[in-house]
């Protein structure tokens, strides 16, 4: 948590000065990993059609893209915002208004994308918005490198958790995001999410109102790690959660110079084999991606749409 010893919101424990009078993490002596200060920085707030069908629906998910990220995956497709460069700083009051504006536009939910480093401020904004008649479900969309204790601050405010489970292997997690303990914290975070939401709930239209959907992005050459993740999730939670297996990995320019194994997209045969493995495990509550989704653009323009009054 942010305190006199600095920020402790995530497992990086970087100690960045995130108090109102503090410096940005970028210039702080503690060199905060997420790259942002205590101010809420947002790069886009708009209807988004590219989530799972029960999240986006036909109307769209009201996504709020927060700047900064403590995980820093080498293959990140949202580098403009994950590094904290894109976006503008706003107040909690303005964030509450953004939530209400998205609801007025017909959003099926409010989708908080990479929110972990702003949890105290987001919690305040959600309370303000609910006092002003925010009624749609709230989605917490995260890479899962989270403290369970931080997530407890969102209990009663978040209806749907949309976490990633990126890596099981310490070696792979260390190589791709310098977090060998990733799986340890992701497991604890997802356990807390399931505790809060219990079993999935859908409305008459098939839109999720409560529950957990765990995403896994399959990476080239990491199929054994992917199988371990699916096995863990199904054996631990069964049909209490939904599992979303994604094939949209897209090599970003230049990644092959440092990580040659990531220079090409995921072979279709590897993805098909992973889906077959999930079926063999018994997974029924799941989502898969069909066709050549890696050739589609899932990256919206971070042009401040919906952010400024």
């Amino acid at each position: 948590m942010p305190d006199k010893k600095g920020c402790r919101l995530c497992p990086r424990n970087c100690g960045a000065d995130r108090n109102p009078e503090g410096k940005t993490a970028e210039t702080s002596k503690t060199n905060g990993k997420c790259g942002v200060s205590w101010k809420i920085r947002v790069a886009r707030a708009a209807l988004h059609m590219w989530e799972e069908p029960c999240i986006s629906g036909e109307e769209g998910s009201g996504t709020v893209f927060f700047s900064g990220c403590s995980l820093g995956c080498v293959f990140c497709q949202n580098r403009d915002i994950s590094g904290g460069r894109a976006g503008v700083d706003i107040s909690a009051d303005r964030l509450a208004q953004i939530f209400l504006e998205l609801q007025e536009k017909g959003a099926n939910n409010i989708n908080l994308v990479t929110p972990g480093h702003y949890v105290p401020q987001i919690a305040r904004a959600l309370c303000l918005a609910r006092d002003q008649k925010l009624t749609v479900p709230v989605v917490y969309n995260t890479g899962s490198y989270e403290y369970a204790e931080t997530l407890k601050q969102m209990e009663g405010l978040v209806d749907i958790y949309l976490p990633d489970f990126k890596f099981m292997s310490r070696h792979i997690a260390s190589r791709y995001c310098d977090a060998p303990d990733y799986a340890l914290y992701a497991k604890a975070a997802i356990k807390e999410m399931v505790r809060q939401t219990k079993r999935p709930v859908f409305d008459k239209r098939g839109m999720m109102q409560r529950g957990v959907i765990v995403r896994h992005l399959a990476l080239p050459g990491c199929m054994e790690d992917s199988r371990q993740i699916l096995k863990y999730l199904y054996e631990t939670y069964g049909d209490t959660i939904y599992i979303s297996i994604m094939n949209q990995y897209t090599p970003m320019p230049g990644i092959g110079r440092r990580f040659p194994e990531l220079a090409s997209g995921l072979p279709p045969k590897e993805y098909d084999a992973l889906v077959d493995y999930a079926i063999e495990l018994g997974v029924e509550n799941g989502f898969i991606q069909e066709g050549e989704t890696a050739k589609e653009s899932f990256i919206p323009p971070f042009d401040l749409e919906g952010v400024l009054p």
Side-chain angles (χ1 to χ4, degrees):
M1 307 298 160
D3 56 23
K4 293 181 180 179
K5 295 182 180 180
C7 186
R8 298 288 184 270
L9 282 170
C10 84
R12 295 294 186 188
N13 279 321
C14 67
D17 187 350
R18 289 168 55 79
N19 291 308
E21 300 303 321
K23 301 176 182 178
T24 63
E26 187 176 15
T27 60
S28 172
K29 293 180 181 179
T30 54
N31 193 27
K33 188 69 176 180
C34 64
V36 295
S37 72
W38 65 276
K39 296 179 181 179
I40 309 166
R41 180 170 291 182
V42 178
R44 180 180 173 87
L47 299 178
H48 191 68
M49 304 303 300
W50 299 329
E51 309 288 25
E52 285 73 9
C54 63
I55 301 295
S56 286
E58 295 183 359
E59 298 80 6
S61 177
T63 51
V64 180
F65 287 90
F66 294 96
S67 295
C69 177
S70 64
L71 198 50
C73 297
V74 299
F75 49 82
C76 180
Q77 296 182 28
N78 292 345
R79 290 183 181 177
D80 285 346
I81 58 170
S82 63
R85 295 179 294 273
V88 294
D89 296 335
I90 63 172
S91 66
D93 287 347
R94 174 58 192 150
L95 184 58
Q97 286 303 120
I98 288 172
F99 296 157
L100 293 167
E101 289 165 9
L102 288 169
Q103 178 175 259
E104 290 173 4
K105 291 177 181 177
N108 285 307
N109 43 62
I110 302 301
N111 189 343
L112 311 171
V113 183
T114 319
H117 43 295
Y118 298 118
V119 159
Q121 300 97 313
I122 291 173
R124 180 172 180 270
L126 285 171
C127 289
L128 290 171
R130 287 192 170 174
D131 286 345
Q132 299 175 63
K133 309 303 181 184
L134 179 72
T135 59
V136 295
V138 173
V139 180
Y140 192 99
N141 188 334
T142 172
S144 295
Y145 198 51
E146 304 255 14
Y147 274 139
E149 287 301 313
T150 299
L151 292 172
K152 287 179 180 178
Q153 297 183 53
M154 305 305 293
E155 186 165 7
L157 297 173
V158 168
D159 305 285
I160 301 164
Y161 281 99
L162 194 57
D164 292 328
F165 199 133
K166 294 177 181 287
F167 322 104
M168 186 69 79
S169 161
R170 288 179 60 86
H171 170 73
I172 296 174
S174 180
R175 179 164 173 76
Y176 293 155
C177 66
D178 192 27
D181 54 1
Y182 173 85
L184 175 70
Y185 287 105
K187 288 178 180 179
I190 292 169
K191 181 178 179 180
E192 172 61 19
M193 296 172 192
V194 175
R195 183 194 71 79
Q196 290 184 24
T197 60
K198 307 298 187 284
R199 299 189 68 85
V201 176
F202 298 84
D203 67 12
K204 294 179 180 179
R205 300 176 301 145
M207 300 302 300
M208 181 173 269
Q209 302 297 296
R210 191 170 183 83
V212 176
I213 301 174
V214 182
R215 291 170 160 173
H216 175 65
L217 174 64
L219 296 174
C222 296
M223 286 303 100
E224 179 55 34
D225 199 54
S226 293
R227 284 191 286 269
Q228 288 187 28
I229 289 169
L230 297 183
K231 187 173 188 289
Y232 168 78
L233 290 172
Y234 187 68
E235 289 185 348
T236 305
Y237 298 109
D239 292 332
T240 304
I241 65 171
Y242 276 71
I243 301 174
S244 182
I245 309 172
M246 302 186 296
N247 71 347
Q248 68 189 55
Y249 170 71
T250 304
M252 300 306 289
I255 194 169
R257 289 194 291 270
R258 289 186 57 203
F259 304 94
E261 70 277 19
L262 296 180
S264 301
L266 181 72
K269 288 184 178 180
E270 288 192 9
Y271 182 73
D272 292 343
L274 188 59
V275 171
D276 288 343
Y277 178 73
I279 294 171
E280 291 171 7
L281 283 174
V283 175
E284 294 184 357
N285 288 355
F287 299 96
I288 62 173
Q289 292 181 319
E290 298 179 340
E292 298 181 326
T293 53
K295 293 183 179 180
E296 299 179 24
S297 176
F298 290 87
I299 308 172
F302 299 119
D303 54 4
L304 303 183
E305 179 180 348
V307 179
L308 301 175

